[in-house]
Amino acid sequence: MKGKKVGRQNKQSTLGQRGAALILVLLMVSILVVLVLETMRAMQVEGAGARHFRDSLQAEGVAKSGVSLAISLLAKDLAETEVDHPGEPWAQVAEADALPVQLPEDGTLEGKVVDEASKFPINYLVDKDGKAQDIYQKVLTGLLTNKPFQLEEEEAQGLVQAITDWLDRDDETAGEFGAETIYYQQLEHPYECKNGPFTSLAELQLVRGMTEALYFGAEENPGLRDLLTVYGNGKININTATPLILRALVSKSVSEDTAESWAESVVAYREEPMHWDFLAESDWYRNRMAGFNDISLPAELVTIQSNHFSAKLTGKAGVGRKSIFACLERTKSEREEGRVTVSIRYWEVY
């Protein structure tokens, strides 16, 4: 009996050992499965990361190539003609037909080159000596009182005064609503009035009377950041000026409806390829469009040539997307005939 009992115990012990071994094997298999799955997931993540990195590099390359193409077209353009208008190759740089090379598979280039002379030159509210320039002040006031801003005349003049004080060299306020350092020092977060030119339009947000709605715009309407520029020689290119800037250039003696109709007609006229040759005439906006012979713009502000441009181009490749914002300055050599230089004043990749 004792022998049988020992036999049963040995058998149970063997079965228990086998069961424990089976559980251990199953546990190890489960661990291996988890490790394999985690390794595969990590490989997939790493592969996706590598593809995204590759696509991002290609997208940035596409965007940089777009800027390089814009520089080339701008240089070639000035070497051949003194006139700038929306029908020229630099203005169509992102169009597929304009690209001289084939983009990577699934690659696209979007964006545009903007003529900075199509905007109002904010730093010219004062001259080199820091004195207010009346004609520029009137145009900016007109811009602020017209649609979409529609400020009251007094409010618009107040903002112009505050901007003038930011630009001029003295510490005397330009008017009742002007603002110098003494005003800004009393704010919750005090700072000094610059008393110098804007280096960036973002500085406008520091000026007394400037609001987010004015600076950034509201809904589909542009803001002042879209209509002003810190670049240029103080001239506004009639061939590229935005409709809002065109309306602001018109004298207050002209009715608002007439000024708006004229601005719309100017934009429509210069978009027609059959009219591009006429845009070389400095007064085409009066002589070439019927019904607007009485429109007169300040000659000292108007031009048909530009020397500063901003390129806002986005390259796409696969899942990659990179954008470049570059401000370009174009100059023609006075010593070497036909030599044109396009330099980069500002560059940002994002």
Side-chain angles (χ1 to χ4, degrees):
M1 293 292 295
K2 186 176 182 180
K4 290 182 179 180
K5 185 176 181 180
V6 171
R8 286 197 300 271
Q9 290 177 343
N10 289 339
K11 187 175 182 180
Q12 290 174 351
S13 176
T14 301
L15 291 173
Q17 290 175 353
R18 289 177 179 176
L22 179 61
I23 291 173
L24 182 59
V25 169
L26 291 175
L27 180 60
M28 293 182 66
V29 169
S30 299
I31 293 174
L32 287 173
V33 170
V34 171
L35 288 174
V36 169
L37 292 176
E38 182 62 24
T39 301
M40 291 176 64
R41 188 190 70 79
M43 290 176 65
Q44 289 175 342
V45 171
E46 186 175 347
R51 288 192 297 273
H52 187 273
F53 181 69
R54 178 203 63 196
D55 290 346
S56 294
L57 285 179
Q58 289 185 337
E60 184 173 345
V62 170
K64 287 181 176 179
S65 296
V67 176
S68 297
L69 176 59
I71 290 174
S72 175
L73 293 174
L74 286 169
K76 185 175 185 293
D77 174 63
L78 184 56
E80 296 176 349
T81 179
E82 299 287 331
V83 181
D84 292 298
H85 59 76
E88 296 186 305
W90 60 262
Q92 304 163 25
V93 65
E95 295 185 9
D97 295 340
L99 299 177
V101 295
Q102 186 175 0
L103 297 176
E105 187 176 357
D106 297 328
T108 58
L109 178 66
E110 300 175 355
K112 58 183 178 180
V113 175
V114 176
D115 176 13
E116 287 296 298
S118 66
K119 307 173 184 178
F120 178 80
I122 188 66
N123 285 331
Y124 282 81
L125 281 179
V126 300
D127 60 21
K128 294 180 180 179
D129 297 321
K131 304 299 181 181
Q133 299 205 83
D134 184 62
I135 186 61
Y136 288 94
Q137 306 236 335
K138 287 182 178 179
V139 173
L140 182 56
T141 301
L143 178 64
L144 293 171
T145 54
N146 289 339
K147 297 176 183 178
F149 306 111
Q150 292 185 296
L151 299 185
E152 294 296 332
E153 187 79 18
E154 185 178 7
E155 186 180 1
Q157 290 178 354
L159 181 54
V160 172
Q161 290 171 7
I163 297 174
T164 300
D165 280 333
W166 189 268
L167 292 167
D168 65 24
R169 300 178 184 178
D170 59 47
D171 293 319
E172 298 180 6
T173 55
E176 181 182 356
F177 299 100
E180 292 287 355
T181 295
I182 189 172
Y183 169 82
Y184 297 110
Q185 286 293 322
Q186 295 173 355
L187 299 178
E188 182 179 356
H189 301 288
Y191 51 90
E192 293 185 354
C193 182
K194 187 172 185 180
N195 286 341
F198 291 96
T199 53
S200 168
L201 285 179
E203 292 177 31
L204 272 172
Q205 298 174 85
L206 301 174
V207 176
R208 178 185 182 182
M210 184 60 61
T211 64
E212 287 191 4
L214 282 173
Y215 182 74
F216 291 103
E219 298 179 354
E220 297 182 356
N221 294 323
L224 291 177
R225 66 172 182 172
D226 306 304
L227 301 171
L228 310 183
T229 182
V230 298
Y231 299 104
N233 58 4
K235 302 284 189 177
I236 297 174
N237 190 340
I238 193 70
N239 292 344
T240 59
T242 63
L244 296 181
I245 297 297
L246 289 170
R247 284 166 52 194
L249 285 171
V250 179
S251 170
K252 282 291 185 180
S253 61
V254 178
S255 71
E256 185 176 341
D257 289 342
T258 300
E260 186 172 355
S261 176
W262 172 78
E264 293 174 353
S265 297
V266 165
V267 174
Y269 184 91
R270 67 193 189 193
E271 288 180 349
E272 283 290 338
M274 68 177 66
H275 297 154
W276 289 344
D277 288 340
F278 301 137
L279 300 184
E281 303 172 6
S282 60
D283 57 353
W284 66 264
Y285 61 90
R286 293 182 61 191
N287 299 332
R288 293 290 178 178
M289 296 194 307
F292 297 106
N293 301 73
D294 58 336
I295 295 291
S296 179
L297 305 183
E300 62 269 41
L301 265 65
V302 175
T303 185
I304 55 175
Q305 182 183 358
S306 308
N307 54 14
H308 288 86
F309 302 81
S310 57
K312 302 175 183 178
L313 298 171
T314 298
K316 295 181 180 180
V319 297
R321 177 189 177 97
K322 284 288 183 178
S323 298
I324 292 178
F325 177 74
C327 290
L328 311 172
E329 181 177 14
R330 185 177 64 174
T331 56
K332 195 170 188 177
S333 175
E334 295 181 358
R335 298 180 178 180
E336 301 180 49
E337 185 176 354
R339 179 177 174 80
V340 176
T341 301
V342 179
S343 55
I344 298 174
R345 294 282 300 274
Y346 179 81
W347 176 280
E348 180 183 2
V349 180
Y350 56 95

